[in-house]
Amino acid sequence: MNTPIKRITLRLIPAVLLAAVLTHRSAEAAELRACIDQSNPAHAMDTSIAHAVAKQQGLTATIVPFDGSGDDDEGLALSTFPKLLASRCDLVMGFPLDAQSGVAPQGTRATTAYAHTGFVLVTPKHAATTLDQLPKGSEVAVTYMTTPNLYFSDHPRLTAQVFTSDAETLKAITHGDVAAAMLWMPYVAGHLDKTSGNKLQVSPLSEPHAQWNLVALYSDASQSTAQQFEQGITALRGNGHLQKLLMPYGELAGAAPMAQPHKVVLRRDTPAGHLIKVSGKAEKSVPVLFSPQQAATGKMAFRTNCAICHGPELEGRAGPPLKGPTFANPDANFHVGDIFKIVAENMPAPAPGTLPKDDYVNIMAYILQENGYPSGSKALSFDDAMNSKVPLIYHAEPSS
Ligand code: HEC
C-alpha cells in the first residue's frame, strides 16, 4: 500500500537534484573563478585585476587561493594547473611565460599577456645598469635554481654568490655584501623597503630569458570566460585603469609584475675539468646509432633551440658544454638513454619537453655526431634513444 508513494518520492529526488545543479550552473555562467597563488609576490595585484576585470564584464569574481610554492626544490608540478582548471577555477592568474619562448603547460592555454615583468639587476646607485658594466671579479648574488643562476655556470668575469631564497639574495645587496643582485622584479617591488630602496637602483636585466609575460591559464571548458577576461583587460588598458593596478610593479621600464620564477630542474653532476683518455679499444666498438640526415637536421634544430645556452659549437655558455670528455665522461658511467632523457624531458630549460619528438631525436643524433659517434643507414627512433644502453663516451676523432 505504501509502495506507490515510495516510488513517487524516489523519482522526485533526482528531479530535485537536477534542478539544483541547473540553478548552480546558470549562476556559474556569470562568475569568474580565479585561482591565485598566494606564494606569488604579486598575488595582491592579481586579486585586484581579477576583481576589476569581473566588474568591467559584469561578472562575479570568486578568488580561489592556492599555494604554488611546491613541497620541495622542484617547485610546483606543471600538472597542477590543468587539475586546478578542471576542478576549482576558470582561470589561473599570474602564470609567467618566457617572453621569447614560453608555452602554456600541457592541457592548458594562455590568454594574451596582461603584464610584463622579469629579472632585474639591483646595484648601489650609479654602480651599473647591466652585468657588463660591473668590474671584473665582482660578486653577484642570485637565488638558487632561478634563471640568473644559469648565467654563471662559466662566467668569464663575474662570480656568483648563490643563496637559497630571494630574501637572502636581497639581504646580500642591501647589506652591501655583494656588488649586485639579480632578482625577480615582483619580489623586489614587494620587499625593497624605502630606506634601502633609496640607496639602490633597479634595472631591467638584458640577458637571455630575463623578460617574462604574465598570462592567465584556462582550459577548453573555460574558453568563454577567458575571452571575457581578455576583453576586460583590453577595456581596462584602454581607460588607463590597468596601468594603475600594475603600478607598484610597473615603474620599471614599462615592465610590470608577476609570479614565481621558473625553476630549473637539476640534473646530474658532471665532474668538472676531469679529462679522460679514451682507449683505442672503445673507439673501435662505437656503434652506429643514427643517420647522417638526422644529424644534419638536428644541427639546425640545435641552433634554434639550444645554442643560446650551450653555444653554437656545443662549447657551453649558460649551460654546460655538450661535447668533449667532460660531457661524455666514461667515469660518469652515463648512457645515451640517460642523456636523451634529460634532453627530451628537461630541455630546452625554459620550456622543458615542448619540442616535437623528431626534433629531440635529431638533436640527439647531432650531439652524438659531435662527440665522435659515426652515422650510418639506420635511423634513430625516439624509443631506441630513450632505452639506449650505449655508453656515453667522447670519441676524440669522428670514427666514421
Ligand atoms: C636557457 C638555457 C638553456 C637552453 C635553451 C637549453 N639548455 Fe640544456 N642545460 C641548461 C643548463 C643550465 C643545464 C645544466 C643544468 C643543471 O645541471 O642543473 C643544462 C643541461 C643540459 C644537459 C645535461 C648536460 C650534462 O652534462 O648533464 C643536456 C644534455 C642539455 N642541457 C641539452 C640541451 C638541449 C639539447 C637543448 C635544446 C633542445 C638545451 N639543452 C637547451 C640550459 C639550457
Side-chain angles (χ1 to χ4, degrees):
M1 166 175 105
N2 267 335
T3 321
I5 298 168
K6 242 193 204 148
R7 224 186 260 140
I8 290 164
T9 322
L10 280 177
R11 257 200 254 131
L12 268 178
I13 292 169
V16 168
L17 280 179
L18 191 61
V21 169
L22 288 175
T23 321
H24 184 59
R25 275 269 176 80
S26 62
E28 249 176 26
E31 204 184 7
L32 186 156
R33 295 172 307 155
C35 275
I36 296 184
D37 174 3
Q38 301 302 299
S39 73
N40 173 353
H43 69 90
M45 178 197 82
D46 281 336
T47 305
S48 318
I49 292 178
H51 281 294
V53 166
K55 194 165 167 215
Q56 210 285 327
Q57 293 288 306
L59 305 170
T60 315
T62 304
I63 305 300
V64 182
F66 73 100
D67 178 9
S69 55
D71 341 318
D72 53 27
D73 267 5
E74 304 269 302
L76 196 65
L78 289 180
S79 58
T80 305
F81 297 102
K83 280 186 210 144
L84 284 172
L85 290 169
S87 59
R88 301 184 59 194
C89 42
D90 307 306
L91 300 174
V92 180
M93 298 277 295
F95 191 82
L97 282 187
D98 188 318
Q100 291 173 335
S101 55
V103 284
Q106 273 217 334
T108 72
R109 304 195 202 182
T111 62
T112 51
Y114 59 87
H116 308 287
T117 188
F119 291 96
V120 289
L121 184 68
V122 186
T123 63
K125 279 243 153 81
H126 313 299
T129 53
T130 66
L131 282 185
D132 295 347
Q133 291 168 4
L134 290 168
K136 193 168 190 247
S138 294
E139 295 201 329
V140 181
V142 293
T143 309
Y144 181 56
M145 300 240 287
T146 57
T147 303
N149 193 179
L150 304 182
Y151 303 149
F152 288 100
S153 78
D154 205 8
H155 203 286
R157 296 179 54 253
L158 303 171
T159 311
Q161 286 274 350
V162 183
F163 294 91
T164 52
S165 69
D166 286 345
E168 289 174 65
T169 305
L170 186 62
K171 209 156 83 187
I173 184 69
T174 52
H175 288 191
D177 302 337
V178 288
M182 287 191 273
L183 279 159
W184 185 240
M185 176 59 192
Y187 184 82
V188 175
H191 292 86
L192 197 59
D193 61 57
K194 266 243 143 48
T195 339
S196 16
N198 286 337
K199 294 184 223 139
L200 296 174
Q201 80 189 3
V202 177
S203 320
L205 198 55
S206 49
E207 298 291 328
H209 309 291
Q211 308 298 319
W212 294 73
N213 289 324
L214 299 190
V215 300
L217 301 178
Y218 62 98
S219 65
D220 287 348
S222 53
Q223 197 162 2
S224 63
T225 313
Q227 257 164 24
Q228 286 184 292
F229 177 83
E230 289 186 329
Q231 283 161 12
I233 289 289
T234 307
L236 293 173
R237 194 176 278 133
N239 66 22
H241 197 158
L242 183 66
Q243 291 79 333
K244 283 195 200 115
L245 295 171
L246 300 174
M247 204 46 204
Y249 310 95
E251 290 166 18
L252 208 99
M258 206 331 289
Q260 242 193 319
H262 266 199
K263 304 216 166 174
V264 174
V265 187
L266 274 191
R267 273 149 294 275
R268 71 195 171 107
D269 289 329
T270 313
H274 190 138
L275 298 188
I276 325 92
K277 273 196 263 137
V278 177
S279 75
K281 213 170 160 198
E283 245 159 54
K284 280 200 200 92
S285 60
V286 185
V288 170
L289 295 169
F290 56 90
S291 72
Q293 293 84 346
Q294 285 183 306
T297 316
K299 180 174 182 172
M300 292 186 304
F302 184 91
R303 292 259 155 117
T304 311
N305 298 293
C306 325
I308 184 170
C309 292
H310 292 285
E313 307 299 330
L314 299 86
E315 72 275 23
R317 282 186 179 168
L322 300 181
K323 172 181 182 166
T326 310
F327 167 67
N329 175 347
D331 286 0
N333 194 23
F334 238 58
H335 303 105
V336 170
D338 303 323
I339 210 77
F340 186 68
K341 206 164 182 312
I342 293 176
V343 170
E345 292 179 359
N346 295 324
M347 294 292 137
T354 53
L355 300 184
K357 278 187 173 183
D358 280 354
D359 280 4
Y360 284 123
V361 175
N362 295 337
I363 288 171
M364 191 68 226
Y366 172 61
I367 293 175
L368 288 171
Q369 183 172 67
E370 289 295 299
N371 282 281
Y373 287 74
S375 58
S377 54
K378 188 181 176 298
L380 183 65
S381 75
F382 189 89
D383 289 344
D384 287 348
M386 270 294 181
N387 299 321
S388 173
K389 290 278 174 252
V390 173
L392 185 76
I393 300 174
Y394 180 61
H395 305 281
E397 303 293 338
S399 353
S400 54

